[in-house]
Amino acid sequence: WALAMAIVNALADKYEDFDPNRAVYDYTGKVWSRVFLSLISSYPEITGDVKGLKERDGACLYVANHASWLDIPVICTVLDPVFKFISKAELSGVPCIGQQLTGGHHILIERDDRRSQLRTFKEGVKWLKSGVPLMAFPEGKRSQDGKLMDFKGGMFSLAVKVGVPVVPITLSNTHAVMPSNALFPVQSGGDGVLRVHVHDPIYPEGKTDSEIADEVRKAFMSKLPADQQPVEPVVVEEEEISEIVADAIISENNSTGKKVATS
């Protein structure tokens, strides 16, 4: 996997038009994901709007619940077109995974750094406007017990800003196969144990971030098994991120104004 990334990266550096969105580069990770899951007998059962997923043209925001390291390779079995993860910056130091994220030009965020959050929003808008989908875990971190947690705000603001649909993807039982604190799977995920359900898209027109978040939460809960249902109602932390989104929009508008003034 690392060698394949190195070869594709060298070609992309040498030939400017070879892999502009790093689609080929990212595909090396998707191949590894599928081989890895097959080797551990944990290839997921995929249901829902799979046809729509394959035929969808243009950008969107994919979101999934998060309870295991296994979530990333499982997601990569479902999403074939090029997309960019919104991921914690600390993962850039993880062997191979970090190489995939940085070399594939994915979006890395430091949640405690306001500037990083602002930069993440701008990068996300840029990718979406260029037609490249994004993939995010709205909980912001892995659930320790597999249960759906509160959402961090902000992710749905990207969809509202650019006007792209949000596509929820429910991941079931990844925590049971590979707990959040485990380095290796503890059981097989085959024979329908690991399940992925692709929900119908949620369109942002006329909706607030919290309304979209509520629809996403309901979609997740409609397919999660009983042991992954939240103990308390899931809420979205909006106040702080709303200020960040506002700053990003003001910054973008100021930048646009400067360009107009100088042209």
Side-chain angles (χ1 to χ4, degrees), residues 31-76:
V31 171
W32 171 83
S33 296
R34 293 167 189 184
V35 171
F36 171 69
L37 290 172
S38 296
L39 288 174
I40 63 172
S41 300
S42 295
Y43 207 88
E45 175 186 289
I46 304 170
T47 60
D49 188 24
V50 179
K51 182 179 179 181
L53 194 68
K54 295 182 181 299
E55 296 178 351
R56 184 167 293 110
D57 187 25
C60 65
L61 175 62
Y62 299 115
V63 290
N65 56 300
H66 195 21
S68 170
W69 281 103
L70 213 56
D71 294 338
I72 295 175
V74 167
I75 282 290
C76 287

Side-chain angles (χ1 to χ4, degrees), residues 12 44 48 56 61 63 66 79 81 85 95 101 150 161 164 170 175 178 181 198 235 241 248:
R56 184 167 293 110
L61 175 62
V63 290
H66 195 21
L79 304 182
F85 273 112
L101 291 171
D150 294 354
K161 169 67 176 175
V164 298
T170 300
H175 73 293
M178 188 172 177
N181 59 353
V198 181
V235 297
I241 201 67

Side-chain angles (χ1 to χ4, degrees), residues 190-213:
D191 297 325
V193 173
L194 280 185
R195 298 192 303 276
V196 179
H197 186 85
V198 181
H199 297 271
D200 293 336
I202 298 168
Y203 294 93
E205 288 79 12
K207 298 175 183 175
T208 65
D209 294 2
S210 60
E211 288 172 336
I212 296 172

